[in-house]
Amino acid sequence: MVEKDKECEVDIFRDTAVRYLGYTNEVGEAFRSIVPKSVVWSSYVVACGYVLADTVHKGLHVYNEDSSPQKTKRLLLSTSDTLLWQGFASVIIPGLTINRLCATIRYLQTKSSRPMLRSPWISTIIGLASIPVIIHPIDVLVEDSMNATYRKWTGYKPLEPIQST
């Protein structure tokens, strides 16, 4: 079984500024109304690259540290768990949330008779300001959902679960 010293080991993908790469698609979604679509799609490439890098990192950690007979199973469970968790918590749910929030703002702007309230910067600023607000609740939602479904079905327990607050 993989042993981990929780006080000494820092997860570069979750405990450092590298984590912000997972949020680039939210920034892209916030800017959707004022940048070319290629910029928005490029932000998804960066965020998905982050997800894949964390998946490989977690897989290599198990591959290098686990010497149990269950190494292959733990490797597959660790990488699939990371891919699912990061995919939902870093890309799918936050991207969709910011996209719909900004789309709603833009729709409401079309109803305004004041030209100043129709600025595309308004939805961008609101989208950017909402990113720090949505991050933790989405992480907890995905963690709880993974615990109730995938992890329950497979019996996999990650080393550092996110705590609900």
Side-chain angles (χ1 to χ4, degrees):
M1 197 87 157
V2 178
E3 295 296 323
K4 187 171 186 175
D5 184 354
K6 292 181 181 179
E7 295 176 344
C8 295
E9 191 168 336
V10 173
D11 184 341
I12 189 170
F13 291 96
R14 297 194 189 180
D15 301 329
T16 69
V18 174
R19 176 73 173 116
Y20 295 118
L21 291 174
Y23 305 134
T24 54
N25 64 309
E26 287 95 298
V27 173
E29 287 295 347
F31 278 94
R32 183 179 283 276
S33 64
I34 55 178
V35 299
K37 286 184 181 179
S38 61
V39 173
V40 177
W41 288 112
S42 296
S43 72
Y44 275 88
V45 169
V46 173
C48 289
Y50 162 81
V51 170
L52 292 175
D54 189 25
T55 301
V56 169
H57 176 259
K58 298 296 185 298
L60 286 173
H61 181 74
V62 171
Y63 182 80
N64 291 328
E65 301 296 325
D66 194 337
S67 58
S68 74
Q70 298 292 319
K71 180 177 185 172
T72 302
K73 180 181 177 182
R74 286 203 44 83
L75 175 67
L76 290 171
L77 289 173
S78 173
T79 54
S80 60
D81 184 83
T82 303
L83 184 63
L84 286 169
W85 192 94
Q86 286 287 11
F88 281 105
S90 297
V91 179
I92 297 168
I93 296 173
L96 182 63
T97 302
I98 299 298
N99 177 285
R100 294 296 82 204
L101 173 66
C102 291
T104 301
I105 302 279
R106 288 191 304 274
Y107 172 76
L108 293 173
Q109 287 176 303
T110 64
K111 304 297 182 191
S112 174
S113 60
R114 293 183 167 172
M116 184 175 86
L117 294 178
R118 290 182 172 218
S119 170
W121 282 99
I122 292 174
S123 65
T124 299
I125 290 167
I126 292 171
L128 290 172
S130 68
I131 293 170
V133 175
I134 68 168
I135 290 169
H136 185 69
I138 289 173
D139 285 356
V140 171
L141 171 72
V142 172
E143 187 75 18
D144 291 346
S145 298
M146 293 282 293
N147 287 338
T149 58
Y150 180 78
R151 293 173 182 160
K152 186 176 182 179
W153 300 331
T154 63
Y156 179 73
K157 296 185 185 353
L159 296 174
E160 290 186 29
I162 293 177
Q163 300 298 317
S164 301
T165 55

